[in-house]
Structures are given as C-alpha cells and as structure tokens.
Amino acid sequence: TLSNSLKDAMKKLAGKTVIDRAAVDELVRDLQRALLSSDVNVKLVMELSKQIKARSLDENLPKGINAREHVLRIVYQELVNLVGKEAEFSLKPQKILMAGLQGSGKTTTTGKLCRYFQRKGLKVGAIGADNFRPGAYAQLETLCKKINVPSYGDPKEKDAVKIVKDGLAALKDVDVVIVDTAGRHALEDDLIDEITEVNAYLKPDHRWLVIDAALGQAARDQAKRFHEAIGIDGVIVTKMDGTAKGGGAMSAVAETQSGIVFIGNGETIDDLERFDPNGFISRLLG
Amino acid sequence: FVLSEKDIEESLFELQMVLLESDVAYPVAEAITEHMKKELVGTHRKLRESADDVVTDALRHAIEKVLGEGFDLVSYIKNHEKPVKILFTGVNGTGKTTSVAKIAHYLQSQGLSVVVGAGDTFRAGAIEQIRVHCERLGIKLIAHQEGADPSAVLYDTVEYAKAHKTDVVLADSAGRFHNRVNLMNQLEKIKRVMKPDLVFYVDEAVAGNDAVIRAEEFEKTVSTDGVILTKVDMDPKGGAAISIAYTIGKPLVFLGVGQGYDDMKPFTPSLIIDEIFG
Ligand SMILES: Nc1nc2c(ncn2[C@@H]2O[C@H](COP(=O)(O)OP(=O)(O)OP(=O)(O)O)[C@@H](O)[C@H]2O)c(=O)[nH]1
Ligand SMILES: Nc1nc2c(ncn2[C@@H]2O[C@H](COP(=O)(O)OP(=O)(O)OP(=O)(O)O)[C@@H](O)[C@H]2O)c(=O)[nH]1
Ligand SMILES: [Mg+2]
Ligand SMILES: [Mg+2]
C-alpha cells in the first residue's frame, strides 16, 4: 500500500545522520504518489515536492534528531502550513451563508450546524434559500423539525434574495441564522451572479464553502470562483466517513486563504466535528 | 526510427500530467502510462512523426478502448421481455434521483412507458423530491411513507409494472457508502427482492481518486451493468469516466450534463476524449 512504501522510504532515512539526496528523492516520489492519490492538486504537489527537497537538503540537521525525523518534521510542517490555519468563528449572534457544488452536503450540514449552535445554548434558525431543487425546503424543514429548530422557506418563490428577506423577518428572534443555498458551479455564470446578490443582501458574518471529501482536481478552480464571487472565509469538508482523503480541501483552503471549520462524517444531524489537522494529514498520507 | 524508452519518457510524463490534471485517478493514470510504454518501446515511427505525436496518438487510442462504445438502452429495452427493471445505486449526492427523472423523460420521449419506484425511504425530503419530478414529467410514481422498507416499495413498483404492462421500471435508491456494511447488505437485499435486469452505478465527474475505490466496492457487492456519470458540465474533462471504466470495465451509458430534464446524453467516447485532447 502507499502508506507502506512511504514508511519504507522513511525507514531508509532512519538512523542516518547525513541526509543523502537519493534517499530524499525516493521519499519525495513516494510522498507525491500518496498526495496525488489523495486528490491533492497536481501543481500543489509539485510545489510541495520542491519545498520539501530543498529544505531537507539545505537545512542543517538540528542537534539530537536523525535524518528521518528531520525530513518527517519538514513534511508535516509543509502540510500543516497548508491546512493548519484555524478558521475562526465565535458563539455570538451571526448570519452564516452556505455555498458549494451540487450535492456537496450543504442542506444536511445546515441541519448539523443548527444542532451544533443549539447545543452551545444559542437560538438558531435556518433559511432554505434553495429555489431550484425539488423538495429542498422539505428536506431542510424535516431536519430542523427533528431538533425543534425553526426554519423558513417558500418553495413557490423563485427569487432567492426575497426568500432571505422574508426569512430574516420570520426568524428575527433567533441569534444564529444559517442560510442554505442551491448547489452551483463555476461555469454557471447566472448562478454565481445569484449567490453574489444573496451575499450582498444578507451581509453574512461568515461564508462557508461546503465541499465533498471526494472532490478531485476540480477543487481548485471551483473554490477560486466561489471565493472571487463572495469571499469564502471557511471550508467544511463533508462525507469524511467514506474512504475519500479530502485532498481537494487543501486546494479549497489555499484558494480561499481560509481554514477548515468543520468536518462532516455521517448522515445524521450529530455527525459534525471540529477540524483536527494532525488526523487529517495522517489520513492524507495514506 | 525505432522508439526507445528514452525517446518517449518525457512525452509519457507530460501525458501522465495531462491525465492527472483531467482528474483521472492516480493509479489509473499510472497504469495507462505504464501500459503505453510497454506497447510503444521497440515500435517504429515515421520520419515526419515526433515522439510526442506517436505517444499522444497511442494514448488517445488507449483511452478510447478503456471508455468503450456506450450502451444502447432503448434497443436493449425493445429487445427484452418487459418490464425491464433498472436499479440505480451509488454514494451520497452523486445525482441518482435527478438521473432517474432525466432517464424517465428520455425513455418516454422514445415512446416507452415508465414507472418510477421511490426506493429512497430514508433521507429527509427524498420522496418529496422524486414526487415533484414525476408530477412535472407526467410519470407514474410508486412510493410508500418515509421509513418504509425500500425492498417493499420496489417490489410494489415491479408488481405495478407487470399489472399495467409498463415497459420500464426505474428504481431509485438511497445514497450509501461502500464502507457501510449494513447499507451494502440492504442494497443486496433490494437486488434479491427486485431482481433488476440492469444495475446502473451513478457517480459524478468531479470525484477524484475515491471514484476508483467506490466503483470497485459497488461492483463487488452488486455487480453493475452500466455507469452513469453526472455533473460532466461541472468538469468537462470528466477524468472520472476513465477511472471508473478502467476499474470495473463496464460501459458508460449516459453522461449527465446539467440539471434540466434534457441534460442527459447517451454516452459516446468523443464526448470525453475531445475535451481532454482538445
Ligand atoms: N455519509 C455522509 N453523507 C452525507 C454527509 N453530508 C451529506 N451527506 C449526504 O449527501 C447527500 C447530499 O447531501 P445534501 O445535503 O442534499 O447536499 P446539498 O449540497 O444540499 O445538495 P444540493 O442542494 O442539491 O446542491 C445526502 O444523501 C446526504 O445525506 C456526510 O458527512 N456523510
Ligand atoms: N450540474 C449538474 N448537477 C447535477 C447533475 N445531476 C444531478 N445534479 C444535481 O446534483 C444534486 C444532487 O442530485 P440528487 O439527484 O439529489 O443526487 P442523489 O444521488 O439522488 O443524492 P442522494 O439521494 O442524497 O444520495 C442536485 O442538486 C442535482 O440537481 C448534472 O449532470 N449536472
Ligand atoms: Mg441542498
Ligand atoms: Mg437521491
């Protein structure tokens, strides 16, 4: 398996006090395989490889640690640099806008976030501003009703901004308002315009990009377009209970210069947890 | 000119990059390039051809072979005892329900009668979603209440089709992950009870390396007959088509190219190849 070949390459460096170029080259090749198989962006993998090679060979071996530990530390540092940044948010009254590709898990995650804030003692409500998908509001309403959280939606209303406007009025007594939106992608100009308008009207405290853990190389361009349109300040990676490694999330974080706020790891309303960089990185490496 | 490994090494590396950046899964891109190296080393190239041309041409042909010729669903149905029963399956959010609606619409437009079975009795809003689609399209839907046994719903759908001499049964099912033993067992039970003629596996063009893992697992559990690749409009290079076709060797039946009822194209290899090779 990949993690075994990476471990073997690491073993070759073990016990050495001088880092030889061949061993580093072999390690970086195995690392590339692991990262590419985990959906990390091709160009990003190449940049990381250069960085890791250069640092491994140029940096002086710190006293008391061997070559293997030194290179391993560099690999971890470089990866933590990419995903380690904390996406800040606080437990105060706020408005959160959910955005992302079709089927990424926005509606389900909106329900999970309602549960999260409710457990923290806040009054929370959800607005179903998905004016397109059949049964979208029925889905959100069902999730919210299960946990006794108010929701607003209007399946007959085609104007997403109007749904938000009416929703804010209907939910004026809650502290945290979470707005679910229809799925959309970078090539749908009219839908990108729509979420730009919703964002401008709502003026949310946070704009979170919901991405599927299995999203491949498309992650970079998609995250970029969403970021240009509404200024994403956090990423939620869903479906991490599957077998996907979430490498696309690295691109999403890099393009939005933000961090991973939450991880979705199941279909039930409680399957939401705060992001743990170390767990994420070891899963990424195979 | 006899091609040596040295001649084509750089071109092969470039092309492996093209595949990876088109979102072909890493092990598949590697396997295809390795296979091509074996095929090409020792062969002859014409004076006017560059190593690059030879390699690009060979890759194009290799991909064509992997992708296959598609699957003529309408002919299959017309030549088969009715009702033809088709079960749709796949992981969460890939576009199964929407694909069922689009294909129902497509088959109806080809003069066939269709009944849809609301086999997702689990997810919030699932029955409402397929109900709205079927109402809009004027398609008969068989559904029970949320929480009902999916096998029972789909059994009833087949019984309805037999009683009404309907041509096709399209059975939707809940999204499920391949690493959930209880859900994969439930899928096996659905298949035993419903006895579909065809099992269509639905995945999305934007899925990366996991597309290989999950296609393998679903193939092992329910042995699929065809693949529907959705959201190709999101990721026109559609590398996942190559990853999946390579991994399970089953035909691609349709490509989903949008959210409208007409956004479902019967698969032809050029749809993917022209996007990758430009
Ligand atoms: N196993 C698992 N399934 C999830 C997770 N998050 C969402 N899902 C499932 O993924 C599917 C899609 O979720 P939705 O919430 O409908 O996705 P969406 O982004 O709102 O979809 P659109 O509104 O159509 O764009 C559903 O079957 C969810 O139950 C997760 O963390 N784990
Ligand atoms: N752009 C685009 N979106 C699509 C396509 N096919 C489906 N979708 C969208 O993807 C989202 C999910 O589709 P569903 O049909 O609910 O997916 P599903 O597999 O049934 O989801 P679960 O039942 O929750 O597992 C919806 O917003 C669809 O409109 C496609 O070809 N292109
Ligand atoms: Mg939704
Ligand atoms: Mg569905």
Side-chain angles (χ1 to χ4, degrees):
Chain A
T1 71
L2 284 166
S3 63
N4 282 336
S5 76
L6 199 55
K7 286 194 191 106
D8 289 341
M10 286 290 182
K11 280 208 199 91
K12 292 214 173 97
L13 283 173
K16 293 192 179 186
T17 49
V18 176
I19 301 174
D20 77 66
R21 161 144 242 143
V24 171
D25 280 352
E26 176 170 357
L27 180 90
V28 169
R29 263 200 309 279
D30 286 325
L31 184 69
Q32 285 177 348
R33 252 194 217 105
L35 294 178
L36 288 171
S37 302
S38 295
D39 296 320
V40 181
N41 181 273
V42 176
K43 292 208 166 61
L44 189 54
V45 171
M46 296 312 160
E47 285 169 30
L48 272 170
S49 305
K50 274 211 208 95
Q51 238 342 63
I52 291 167
K53 261 189 208 171
R55 288 188 57 190
S56 300
L57 297 170
D58 299 343
E59 290 180 8
N60 288 320
L61 198 55
K63 262 202 168 57
I65 74 170
N66 65 36
R68 186 179 90 97
E69 286 170 349
H70 177 61
V71 176
L72 193 56
R73 253 190 223 182
I74 288 171
V75 170
Y76 258 76
Q77 274 176 8
E78 289 297 323
L79 291 173
V80 166
N81 254 345
L82 285 174
V83 281
K85 176 162 164 228
E86 268 251 39
E88 303 275 353
F89 75 96
S90 54
L91 298 174
K92 61 176 178 35
Q94 60 194 293
K95 294 174 284 180
I96 299 171
L97 180 63
M98 306 289 279
L101 302 176
Q102 284 90 346
S104 59
K106 298 174 293 298
T107 305
T108 307
T109 305
T110 300
K112 292 177 181 178
L113 285 170
C114 287
R115 174 59 137 182
Y116 177 85
F117 284 110
Q118 179 189 57
R119 289 200 130 144
K120 295 285 181 184
L122 291 161
K123 288 181 83 214
V124 57
I127 299 176
D130 179 346
N131 51 5
F132 177 78
R133 175 169 149 161
Y137 182 57
Q139 182 183 8
L140 182 65
E141 187 183 37
T142 302
L143 294 171
C144 290
K145 277 200 169 139
K146 267 212 189 110
I147 55 168
N148 255 308
V149 160
S151 68
Y152 177 84
D154 183 359
K156 295 206 183 63
E157 179 55 69
K158 288 279 156 263
D159 182 348
V161 173
K162 178 130 196 348
I163 299 176
V164 173
K165 176 171 193 278
D166 296 343
L168 290 172
L171 298 172
K172 59 180 170 12
D173 296 332
V174 310
D175 304 315
V176 180
V177 175
I178 308 178
V179 180
D180 183 24
T181 59
R184 68 202 70 224
H185 61 78
L187 298 174
E188 295 173 312
D189 292 340
D190 53 339
L191 294 184
I192 296 292
D193 289 343
E194 180 189 71
I195 200 160
T196 305
E197 288 165 26
V198 169
N199 182 46
Y201 178 81
L202 180 68
K203 298 190 187 52
D205 301 89
H206 294 291
R207 295 148 301 283
W208 289 342
L209 182 65
V210 178
I211 75 161
D212 186 321
L215 186 60
Q217 296 295 316
R220 192 176 87 166
D221 290 347
Q222 294 294 339
K224 186 160 186 254
R225 187 100 212 260
F226 276 92
H227 189 53
E228 286 167 351
I230 63 174
I232 298 291
D233 71 337
V235 173
I236 297 179
V237 189
T238 62
K239 310 179 201 172
M240 284 288 278
D241 50 309
T243 50
K245 306 285 179 61
M250 282 202 154
S251 298
V253 162
E255 288 300 323
T256 59
Q257 294 166 346
S258 64
I260 298 175
V261 200
F262 287 102
I263 295 281
N265 54 7
E267 283 188 271
T268 80
I269 206 144
D270 296 306
D271 291 322
L272 189 75
E273 44 183 58
R274 295 285 275 147
F275 175 62
D276 157 39
N278 284 320
F280 184 84
I281 290 171
S282 45
R283 176 181 173 136
L284 203 72
L285 292 178
Chain B
F1 261 113
V2 174
L3 283 172
S4 75
E5 188 164 327
K6 198 101 194 36
D7 295 326
I8 58 175
E9 209 160 39
E10 200 181 318
S11 311
L12 278 179
F13 180 76
E14 292 293 312
L15 282 186
Q16 187 171 355
M17 283 296 124
V18 167
L19 290 179
L20 288 175
E21 287 181 318
S22 302
D23 215 0
V24 175
Y26 182 81
V28 175
E30 196 176 47
I32 292 178
T33 353
E34 274 308 299
H35 174 81
M36 288 199 22
K37 180 157 57 164
K38 291 204 184 71
E39 291 275 301
L40 290 173
V41 170
T43 63
H44 296 260
R45 74 174 167 93
K46 303 186 188 64
L47 268 172
R48 287 170 291 106
E49 278 181 309
S50 69
D52 235 26
D53 289 336
V54 174
V55 172
T56 305
D57 224 49
L59 182 66
R60 211 190 151 101
H61 285 283
I63 306 261
E64 273 169 355
K65 273 190 67 215
V66 168
L67 290 176
E69 288 298 317
F71 182 102
D72 190 338
L73 183 59
V74 174
S75 301
Y76 177 93
I77 294 168
K78 291 193 168 156
N79 293 321
H80 209 94
E81 182 184 358
K82 318 282 189 293
V84 169
K85 300 163 281 176
I86 308 177
L87 174 63
F88 289 76
T89 187
V91 304
N92 303 67
T94 55
K96 298 175 292 301
T97 304
T98 309
S99 298
V100 165
K102 290 177 188 174
I103 292 171
H105 176 63
Y106 168 77
L107 294 176
Q108 247 190 359
S109 73
Q110 299 287 318
L112 296 163
S113 57
V114 182
V115 59
V116 171
D120 181 352
T121 57
F122 170 73
R123 204 207 68 214
I127 297 173
E128 175 66 7
Q129 183 183 9
I130 190 70
R131 188 192 311 283
V132 172
H133 278 310
C134 288
E135 274 173 8
R136 286 182 188 167
L137 295 170
I139 305 232
K140 174 70 182 163
L141 174 74
I142 302 294
H144 291 184
Q145 72 289 355
E146 195 172 292
D149 176 4
S151 298
V153 180
L154 298 181
Y155 179 84
D156 284 357
T157 313
V158 173
E159 291 305 297
Y160 175 94
K162 287 181 182 160
H164 292 82
K165 304 236 181 322
T166 314
D167 297 320
V168 193
V169 168
L170 298 181
D172 189 14
S173 70
R176 67 199 66 228
F177 275 134
H178 42 293
N179 58 349
R180 289 281 303 272
V181 178
N182 55 338
L183 296 179
M184 294 310 273
N185 287 341
Q186 183 195 64
L187 182 61
E188 281 182 302
K189 177 178 172 209
I190 289 173
K191 190 177 178 189
R192 272 200 311 278
V193 169
M194 181 196 164
K195 300 190 182 54
D197 299 292
L198 298 168
V199 175
F200 282 168
Y201 175 69
V202 183
D203 208 345
E204 52 194 22
V206 285
N209 281 269
D210 201 51
V212 168
I213 315 279
R214 56 212 208 187
E216 265 171 347
E217 288 303 313
F218 270 82
E219 180 63 13
K220 269 197 256 160
T221 309
V222 281
S223 178
T224 60
D225 299 291
V227 177
I228 297 174
L229 193 73
T230 62
K231 309 180 195 175
V232 174
D233 51 308
M234 208 184 269
D235 189 358
K237 293 213 178 128
I242 298 170
S243 307
I244 297 168
Y246 185 89
T247 302
I248 61 175
K250 295 292 163 75
L252 285 150
V253 191
F254 287 102
L255 294 185
V257 292
Q259 296 181 221
Y261 296 117
D262 293 322
D263 293 327
M264 199 52 132
K265 290 192 186 158
F267 175 76
T268 60
S270 59
L271 290 172
I272 299 284
I273 299 218
D274 292 348
E275 284 296 328
I276 295 183
F277 288 89

